Amino acid sequence: QNAKMSAEDESNMPKKRFFRSRAHCNPLSHNDGFAYPLNPEDYSLKWSSEHYPAFRSSNGEVSNLVEYLDIGMGFGGLTVALAKQFPEKLVLGMEIRAKVCEYVKLRIEALRKDFPCQYQNASCLRTNCMRYLPNYFKKAQLEKIFFCFPDPHFKAKNHRRRIISTSLLSEYAYFLKPGGKLYTITDVKELHVWHMEKCDAHPLFALESKSTDESVVAATDEGSHASNMPEVEEDICVRIMQEETEEGKKVAPFGGRKN
């Protein structure tokens, strides 16, 4: 109890300095530390008991499904901001690093205590998203998937570790509803170009903007391109990604470019 209290401030918010972790890790390395369900149905009761108890229905399951997914959530800035902006949507942050995930869990618990009617729709989960997404989500379940400042893996031999790739985009398209959106943001120009090229070349995604400043793509039906999509500049999620994420806040004071 004393250790837990020392890791929190007066408002019960966790202190980051007690939850520092390596900035990046190898998502392709073998790791037996992840407990995961065999299929999404096996996890249905845990959504209501461990993640979203305020949304528990009479049958013990959640009344809504997770629709907003923050992959590689870091310290949870985007996850909690999305939960506040879209209180009717279940928002889930996923993170591979144990200490960082524990921080976000405590952060959400503290926010729920401080704001009883808010943040009930936010939660987090530690897992390896490059391996286990099919164990948690059903086909066409997600409305939005976010990738904020992912590891650029600069070396060519490590490009297969990048979270955006042709094979993984096919997997993301499976989970997205037709017209669902995939968002990316990075301060590394080379990685932004990679994201744009991979998404633009994929038959199941259509770029909403081909400018050098945004990377938002929409899932389409069997390669047909969506039409009449709103301008990226008008999408509130783009602003949230730029202003509410921890990495975005670090880059802004130095005039860094966020693509």
Side-chain angles (χ1 to χ4, degrees), residues 18-51:
F18 291 99
F19 299 90
R20 292 299 177 185
S21 178
R22 293 183 61 182
H24 307 291
C25 62
N26 181 5
L28 301 182
S29 64
H30 183 70
N31 191 317
D32 292 325
F34 295 101
Y36 54 89
L38 293 179
N39 55 66
E41 287 73 20
D42 289 347
Y43 204 75
S44 58
L45 292 178
K46 285 194 174 183
W47 290 125
S48 61
S49 63
E50 298 183 9
H51 297 278

mmCIF file of all heavy atoms in Angstrom, residues 18-51:
data_model
loop_
_atom_site.group_PDB
_atom_site.id
_atom_site.type_symbol
_atom_site.label_atom_id
_atom_site.label_comp_id
_atom_site.label_asym_id
_atom_site.label_seq_id
_atom_site.Cartn_x
_atom_site.Cartn_y
_atom_site.Cartn_z
ATOM 1 N N PHE A 18 7.628 6.568 -11.835
ATOM 2 C CA PHE A 18 7.620 5.232 -11.242
ATOM 3 C C PHE A 18 7.265 4.144 -12.266
ATOM 4 O O PHE A 18 7.224 2.965 -11.932
ATOM 5 C CB PHE A 18 6.620 5.177 -10.086
ATOM 6 C CG PHE A 18 7.040 5.974 -8.887
ATOM 7 C CD1 PHE A 18 6.529 7.244 -8.683
ATOM 8 C CD2 PHE A 18 7.960 5.479 -7.980
ATOM 9 C CE1 PHE A 18 6.911 7.999 -7.583
ATOM 10 C CE2 PHE A 18 8.345 6.226 -6.884
ATOM 11 C CZ PHE A 18 7.820 7.491 -6.683
ATOM 12 N N PHE A 19 6.975 4.565 -13.492
ATOM 13 C CA PHE A 19 6.532 3.605 -14.499
ATOM 14 C C PHE A 19 7.342 3.717 -15.783
ATOM 15 O O PHE A 19 6.849 3.393 -16.855
ATOM 16 C CB PHE A 19 5.042 3.829 -14.811
ATOM 17 C CG PHE A 19 4.146 3.646 -13.622
ATOM 18 C CD1 PHE A 19 3.843 4.718 -12.798
ATOM 19 C CD2 PHE A 19 3.614 2.404 -13.324
ATOM 20 C CE1 PHE A 19 3.015 4.555 -11.693
ATOM 21 C CE2 PHE A 19 2.788 2.231 -12.231
ATOM 22 C CZ PHE A 19 2.486 3.312 -11.415
ATOM 23 N N ARG A 20 8.575 4.158 -15.670
ATOM 24 C CA ARG A 20 9.420 4.294 -16.852
ATOM 25 C C ARG A 20 9.778 2.923 -17.402
ATOM 26 O O ARG A 20 9.959 1.953 -16.670
ATOM 27 C CB ARG A 20 10.695 5.077 -16.522
ATOM 28 C CG ARG A 20 10.417 6.553 -16.202
ATOM 29 C CD ARG A 20 9.785 7.265 -17.375
ATOM 30 N NE ARG A 20 9.453 8.648 -17.067
ATOM 31 C CZ ARG A 20 8.814 9.469 -17.882
ATOM 32 N NH1 ARG A 20 8.416 9.026 -19.068
ATOM 33 N NH2 ARG A 20 8.543 10.711 -17.530
ATOM 34 N N SER A 21 9.877 2.865 -18.726
ATOM 35 C CA SER A 21 10.173 1.611 -19.408
ATOM 36 C C SER A 21 11.007 1.923 -20.637
ATOM 37 O O SER A 21 11.139 3.092 -21.028
ATOM 38 C CB SER A 21 8.867 0.909 -19.804
ATOM 39 O OG SER A 21 9.117 -0.291 -20.502
ATOM 40 N N ARG A 22 11.555 0.919 -21.242
ATOM 41 C CA ARG A 22 12.275 1.112 -22.501
ATOM 42 C C ARG A 22 11.318 1.714 -23.520
ATOM 43 O O ARG A 22 10.146 1.357 -23.587
ATOM 44 C CB ARG A 22 12.822 -0.213 -23.017
ATOM 45 C CG ARG A 22 13.899 -0.818 -22.165
ATOM 46 C CD ARG A 22 14.438 -2.096 -22.786
ATOM 47 N NE ARG A 22 15.039 -1.846 -24.097
ATOM 48 C CZ ARG A 22 15.544 -2.815 -24.867
ATOM 49 N NH1 ARG A 22 15.498 -4.085 -24.453
ATOM 50 N NH2 ARG A 22 16.079 -2.533 -26.030
ATOM 51 N N ALA A 23 11.838 2.619 -24.347
ATOM 52 C CA ALA A 23 10.981 3.306 -25.312
ATOM 53 C C ALA A 23 10.392 2.335 -26.324
ATOM 54 O O ALA A 23 9.257 2.502 -26.772
ATOM 55 C CB ALA A 23 11.776 4.391 -26.030
ATOM 56 N N HIS A 24 11.149 1.315 -26.686
ATOM 57 C CA HIS A 24 10.674 0.383 -27.711
ATOM 58 C C HIS A 24 11.083 -1.042 -27.334
ATOM 59 O O HIS A 24 11.964 -1.267 -26.516
ATOM 60 C CB HIS A 24 11.259 0.734 -29.078
ATOM 61 C CG HIS A 24 11.030 2.159 -29.477
ATOM 62 N ND1 HIS A 24 9.785 2.650 -29.788
ATOM 63 C CD2 HIS A 24 11.887 3.204 -29.604
ATOM 64 C CE1 HIS A 24 9.873 3.927 -30.092
ATOM 65 N NE2 HIS A 24 11.137 4.289 -29.988
ATOM 66 N N CYS A 25 10.423 -2.009 -27.955
ATOM 67 C CA CYS A 25 10.794 -3.408 -27.773
ATOM 68 C C CYS A 25 10.520 -4.146 -29.067
ATOM 69 O O CYS A 25 9.881 -3.616 -29.978
ATOM 70 C CB CYS A 25 10.024 -4.041 -26.614
ATOM 71 S SG CYS A 25 8.245 -4.064 -26.853
ATOM 72 N N ASN A 26 10.995 -5.350 -29.154
ATOM 73 C CA ASN A 26 10.840 -6.148 -30.374
ATOM 74 C C ASN A 26 9.513 -6.894 -30.335
ATOM 75 O O ASN A 26 9.377 -7.856 -29.584
ATOM 76 C CB ASN A 26 12.009 -7.124 -30.497
ATOM 77 C CG ASN A 26 11.914 -7.976 -31.760
ATOM 78 O OD1 ASN A 26 11.034 -7.773 -32.591
ATOM 79 N ND2 ASN A 26 12.824 -8.933 -31.888
ATOM 80 N N PRO A 27 8.539 -6.513 -31.144
ATOM 81 C CA PRO A 27 7.230 -7.180 -31.110
ATOM 82 C C PRO A 27 7.241 -8.571 -31.730
ATOM 83 O O PRO A 27 6.271 -9.317 -31.587
ATOM 84 C CB PRO A 27 6.341 -6.229 -31.925
ATOM 85 C CG PRO A 27 7.287 -5.577 -32.874
ATOM 86 C CD PRO A 27 8.572 -5.412 -32.121
ATOM 87 N N LEU A 28 8.326 -8.917 -32.415
ATOM 88 C CA LEU A 28 8.399 -10.224 -33.061
ATOM 89 C C LEU A 28 9.113 -11.262 -32.212
ATOM 90 O O LEU A 28 9.161 -12.431 -32.586
ATOM 91 C CB LEU A 28 9.107 -10.093 -34.425
ATOM 92 C CG LEU A 28 8.459 -9.140 -35.425
ATOM 93 C CD1 LEU A 28 9.236 -9.147 -36.737
ATOM 94 C CD2 LEU A 28 7.003 -9.502 -35.666
ATOM 95 N N SER A 29 9.674 -10.842 -31.082
ATOM 96 C CA SER A 29 10.362 -11.795 -30.222
ATOM 97 C C SER A 29 9.353 -12.694 -29.520
ATOM 98 O O SER A 29 8.230 -12.284 -29.221
ATOM 99 C CB SER A 29 11.219 -11.070 -29.184
ATOM 100 O OG SER A 29 10.403 -10.306 -28.325
ATOM 101 N N HIS A 30 9.745 -13.906 -29.227
ATOM 102 C CA HIS A 30 8.854 -14.845 -28.546
ATOM 103 C C HIS A 30 8.659 -14.401 -27.107
ATOM 104 O O HIS A 30 9.614 -14.067 -26.405
ATOM 105 C CB HIS A 30 9.436 -16.254 -28.582
ATOM 106 C CG HIS A 30 8.541 -17.289 -27.963
ATOM 107 N ND1 HIS A 30 7.358 -17.698 -28.554
ATOM 108 C CD2 HIS A 30 8.638 -17.981 -26.809
ATOM 109 C CE1 HIS A 30 6.781 -18.608 -27.792
ATOM 110 N NE2 HIS A 30 7.545 -18.801 -26.720
ATOM 111 N N ASN A 31 7.430 -14.363 -26.654
ATOM 112 C CA ASN A 31 7.139 -13.895 -25.299
ATOM 113 C C ASN A 31 5.963 -14.675 -24.747
ATOM 114 O O ASN A 31 4.859 -14.634 -25.295
ATOM 115 C CB ASN A 31 6.818 -12.396 -25.315
ATOM 116 C CG ASN A 31 6.772 -11.810 -23.916
ATOM 117 O OD1 ASN A 31 6.220 -12.410 -23.006
ATOM 118 N ND2 ASN A 31 7.353 -10.635 -23.749
ATOM 119 N N ASP A 32 6.190 -15.404 -23.654
ATOM 120 C CA ASP A 32 5.128 -16.192 -23.030
ATOM 121 C C ASP A 32 4.392 -15.404 -21.949
ATOM 122 O O ASP A 32 3.571 -15.955 -21.225
ATOM 123 C CB ASP A 32 5.709 -17.481 -22.412
ATOM 124 C CG ASP A 32 6.200 -18.446 -23.484
ATOM 125 O OD1 ASP A 32 5.575 -18.497 -24.556
ATOM 126 O OD2 ASP A 32 7.212 -19.127 -23.242
ATOM 127 N N GLY A 33 4.685 -14.108 -21.822
ATOM 128 C CA GLY A 33 4.100 -13.322 -20.751
ATOM 129 C C GLY A 33 2.699 -12.819 -21.026
ATOM 130 O O GLY A 33 2.103 -12.162 -20.180
ATOM 131 N N PHE A 34 2.156 -13.095 -22.202
ATOM 132 C CA PHE A 34 0.838 -12.603 -22.559
ATOM 133 C C PHE A 34 -0.210 -13.698 -22.428
ATOM 134 O O PHE A 34 -0.120 -14.742 -23.069
ATOM 135 C CB PHE A 34 0.818 -12.076 -24.000
ATOM 136 C CG PHE A 34 1.690 -10.873 -24.217
ATOM 137 C CD1 PHE A 34 2.930 -11.005 -24.805
ATOM 138 C CD2 PHE A 34 1.279 -9.610 -23.826
ATOM 139 C CE1 PHE A 34 3.746 -9.908 -25.001
ATOM 140 C CE2 PHE A 34 2.077 -8.502 -24.021
ATOM 141 C CZ PHE A 34 3.317 -8.650 -24.609
ATOM 142 N N ALA A 35 -1.189 -13.443 -21.585
ATOM 143 C CA ALA A 35 -2.350 -14.328 -21.524
ATOM 144 C C ALA A 35 -3.392 -13.769 -22.483
ATOM 145 O O ALA A 35 -3.696 -12.574 -22.441
ATOM 146 C CB ALA A 35 -2.907 -14.379 -20.107
ATOM 147 N N TYR A 36 -3.920 -14.588 -23.359
ATOM 148 C CA TYR A 36 -4.864 -14.094 -24.353
ATOM 149 C C TYR A 36 -5.928 -15.146 -24.615
ATOM 150 O O TYR A 36 -5.696 -16.352 -24.471
ATOM 151 C CB TYR A 36 -4.138 -13.735 -25.658
ATOM 152 C CG TYR A 36 -3.301 -14.857 -26.226
ATOM 153 C CD1 TYR A 36 -3.838 -15.787 -27.110
ATOM 154 C CD2 TYR A 36 -1.958 -14.992 -25.868
ATOM 155 C CE1 TYR A 36 -3.077 -16.821 -27.618
ATOM 156 C CE2 TYR A 36 -1.183 -16.028 -26.365
ATOM 157 C CZ TYR A 36 -1.755 -16.930 -27.251
ATOM 158 O OH TYR A 36 -0.985 -17.957 -27.743
ATOM 159 N N PRO A 37 -7.135 -14.722 -24.989
ATOM 160 C CA PRO A 37 -8.210 -15.675 -25.257
ATOM 161 C C PRO A 37 -7.991 -16.382 -26.588
ATOM 162 O O PRO A 37 -7.286 -15.882 -27.466
ATOM 163 C CB PRO A 37 -9.454 -14.783 -25.309
ATOM 164 C CG PRO A 37 -8.927 -13.473 -25.792
ATOM 165 C CD PRO A 37 -7.566 -13.326 -25.164
ATOM 166 N N LEU A 38 -8.609 -17.542 -26.744
ATOM 167 C CA LEU A 38 -8.500 -18.265 -28.009
ATOM 168 C C LEU A 38 -9.288 -17.574 -29.112
ATOM 169 O O LEU A 38 -8.941 -17.647 -30.281
ATOM 170 C CB LEU A 38 -8.991 -19.701 -27.834
ATOM 171 C CG LEU A 38 -8.141 -20.598 -26.933
ATOM 172 C CD1 LEU A 38 -8.760 -21.988 -26.824
ATOM 173 C CD2 LEU A 38 -6.711 -20.701 -27.457
ATOM 174 N N ASN A 39 -10.367 -16.893 -28.732
ATOM 175 C CA ASN A 39 -11.186 -16.185 -29.703
ATOM 176 C C ASN A 39 -11.930 -15.061 -28.982
ATOM 177 O O ASN A 39 -11.992 -15.041 -27.743
ATOM 178 C CB ASN A 39 -12.167 -17.135 -30.399
ATOM 179 C CG ASN A 39 -13.025 -17.893 -29.405
ATOM 180 O OD1 ASN A 39 -13.837 -17.304 -28.701
ATOM 181 N ND2 ASN A 39 -12.843 -19.210 -29.329
ATOM 182 N N PRO A 40 -12.522 -14.117 -29.706
ATOM 183 C CA PRO A 40 -13.202 -12.980 -29.057
ATOM 184 C C PRO A 40 -14.335 -13.389 -28.119
ATOM 185 O O PRO A 40 -14.565 -12.731 -27.097
ATOM 186 C CB PRO A 40 -13.743 -12.179 -30.251
ATOM 187 C CG PRO A 40 -12.830 -12.516 -31.379
ATOM 188 C CD PRO A 40 -12.472 -13.959 -31.173
ATOM 189 N N GLU A 41 -15.033 -14.470 -28.431
ATOM 190 C CA GLU A 41 -16.144 -14.908 -27.573
ATOM 191 C C GLU A 41 -15.664 -15.296 -26.189
ATOM 192 O O GLU A 41 -16.365 -15.093 -25.195
ATOM 193 C CB GLU A 41 -16.878 -16.082 -28.229
ATOM 194 C CG GLU A 41 -17.741 -15.703 -29.430
ATOM 195 C CD GLU A 41 -16.915 -15.373 -30.665
ATOM 196 O OE1 GLU A 41 -15.728 -15.794 -30.737
ATOM 197 O OE2 GLU A 41 -17.434 -14.683 -31.553
ATOM 198 N N ASP A 42 -14.462 -15.837 -26.093
ATOM 199 C CA ASP A 42 -13.923 -16.250 -24.796
ATOM 200 C C ASP A 42 -13.619 -15.067 -23.882
ATOM 201 O O ASP A 42 -13.445 -15.241 -22.676
ATOM 202 C CB ASP A 42 -12.643 -17.075 -24.992
ATOM 203 C CG ASP A 42 -12.918 -18.448 -25.570
ATOM 204 O OD1 ASP A 42 -14.095 -18.847 -25.588
ATOM 205 O OD2 ASP A 42 -11.968 -19.104 -26.018
ATOM 206 N N TYR A 43 -13.546 -13.880 -24.463
ATOM 207 C CA TYR A 43 -13.193 -12.697 -23.673
ATOM 208 C C TYR A 43 -14.406 -11.806 -23.405
ATOM 209 O O TYR A 43 -14.284 -10.774 -22.742
ATOM 210 C CB TYR A 43 -12.125 -11.886 -24.410
ATOM 211 C CG TYR A 43 -11.279 -11.010 -23.510
ATOM 212 C CD1 TYR A 43 -10.290 -11.561 -22.704
ATOM 213 C CD2 TYR A 43 -11.474 -9.629 -23.479
ATOM 214 C CE1 TYR A 43 -9.511 -10.763 -21.879
ATOM 215 C CE2 TYR A 43 -10.690 -8.825 -22.653
ATOM 216 C CZ TYR A 43 -9.714 -9.395 -21.860
ATOM 217 O OH TYR A 43 -8.949 -8.602 -21.039
ATOM 218 N N SER A 44 -15.576 -12.194 -23.875
ATOM 219 C CA SER A 44 -16.747 -11.316 -23.834
ATOM 220 C C SER A 44 -17.123 -10.876 -22.417
ATOM 221 O O SER A 44 -17.488 -9.720 -22.192
ATOM 222 C CB SER A 44 -17.942 -12.002 -24.499
ATOM 223 O OG SER A 44 -18.230 -13.244 -23.854
ATOM 224 N N LEU A 45 -17.046 -11.770 -21.447
ATOM 225 C CA LEU A 45 -17.419 -11.412 -20.074
ATOM 226 C C LEU A 45 -16.370 -10.522 -19.408
ATOM 227 O O LEU A 45 -16.693 -9.727 -18.525
ATOM 228 C CB LEU A 45 -17.646 -12.667 -19.238
ATOM 229 C CG LEU A 45 -18.866 -13.511 -19.615
ATOM 230 C CD1 LEU A 45 -18.954 -14.750 -18.739
ATOM 231 C CD2 LEU A 45 -20.152 -12.690 -19.505
ATOM 232 N N LYS A 46 -15.114 -10.630 -19.836
ATOM 233 C CA LYS A 46 -14.061 -9.814 -19.230
ATOM 234 C C LYS A 46 -14.183 -8.346 -19.631
ATOM 235 O O LYS A 46 -13.751 -7.464 -18.899
ATOM 236 C CB LYS A 46 -12.685 -10.355 -19.598
ATOM 237 C CG LYS A 46 -12.316 -11.623 -18.845
ATOM 238 C CD LYS A 46 -10.840 -11.938 -18.959
ATOM 239 C CE LYS A 46 -10.458 -13.124 -18.097
ATOM 240 N NZ LYS A 46 -9.009 -13.412 -18.135
ATOM 241 N N TRP A 47 -14.762 -8.086 -20.810
ATOM 242 C CA TRP A 47 -14.957 -6.689 -21.201
ATOM 243 C C TRP A 47 -15.805 -5.967 -20.159
ATOM 244 O O TRP A 47 -15.540 -4.816 -19.809
ATOM 245 C CB TRP A 47 -15.632 -6.591 -22.566
ATOM 246 C CG TRP A 47 -14.802 -6.998 -23.735
ATOM 247 C CD1 TRP A 47 -15.114 -7.932 -24.682
ATOM 248 C CD2 TRP A 47 -13.513 -6.479 -24.120
ATOM 249 N NE1 TRP A 47 -14.114 -8.039 -25.619
ATOM 250 C CE2 TRP A 47 -13.120 -7.158 -25.297
ATOM 251 C CE3 TRP A 47 -12.660 -5.522 -23.565
ATOM 252 C CZ2 TRP A 47 -11.906 -6.887 -25.936
ATOM 253 C CZ3 TRP A 47 -11.453 -5.253 -24.210
ATOM 254 C CH2 TRP A 47 -11.091 -5.931 -25.376
ATOM 255 N N SER A 48 -16.837 -6.651 -19.659
ATOM 256 C CA SER A 48 -17.734 -6.019 -18.684
ATOM 257 C C SER A 48 -17.186 -6.074 -17.261
ATOM 258 O O SER A 48 -17.370 -5.135 -16.484
ATOM 259 C CB SER A 48 -19.119 -6.686 -18.726
ATOM 260 O OG SER A 48 -19.030 -8.066 -18.405
ATOM 261 N N SER A 49 -16.495 -7.138 -16.899
ATOM 262 C CA SER A 49 -16.029 -7.287 -15.517
ATOM 263 C C SER A 49 -14.732 -6.542 -15.242
ATOM 264 O O SER A 49 -14.538 -5.987 -14.154
ATOM 265 C CB SER A 49 -15.853 -8.771 -15.175
ATOM 266 O OG SER A 49 -14.849 -9.354 -16.004
ATOM 267 N N GLU A 50 -13.816 -6.490 -16.217
ATOM 268 C CA GLU A 50 -12.504 -5.911 -15.984
ATOM 269 C C GLU A 50 -12.294 -4.559 -16.666
ATOM 270 O O GLU A 50 -11.430 -3.785 -16.237
ATOM 271 C CB GLU A 50 -11.413 -6.876 -16.470
ATOM 272 C CG GLU A 50 -11.399 -8.209 -15.730
ATOM 273 C CD GLU A 50 -10.270 -9.106 -16.191
ATOM 274 O OE1 GLU A 50 -9.405 -8.616 -16.965
ATOM 275 O OE2 GLU A 50 -10.241 -10.279 -15.789
ATOM 276 N N HIS A 51 -13.053 -4.270 -17.708
ATOM 277 C CA HIS A 51 -12.776 -3.074 -18.498
ATOM 278 C C HIS A 51 -13.884 -2.020 -18.444
ATOM 279 O O HIS A 51 -13.605 -0.846 -18.212
ATOM 280 C CB HIS A 51 -12.501 -3.463 -19.956
ATOM 281 C CG HIS A 51 -11.298 -4.320 -20.140
ATOM 282 N ND1 HIS A 51 -10.018 -3.820 -20.192
ATOM 283 C CD2 HIS A 51 -11.178 -5.665 -20.277
ATOM 284 C CE1 HIS A 51 -9.149 -4.813 -20.360
ATOM 285 N NE2 HIS A 51 -9.831 -5.944 -20.409
#
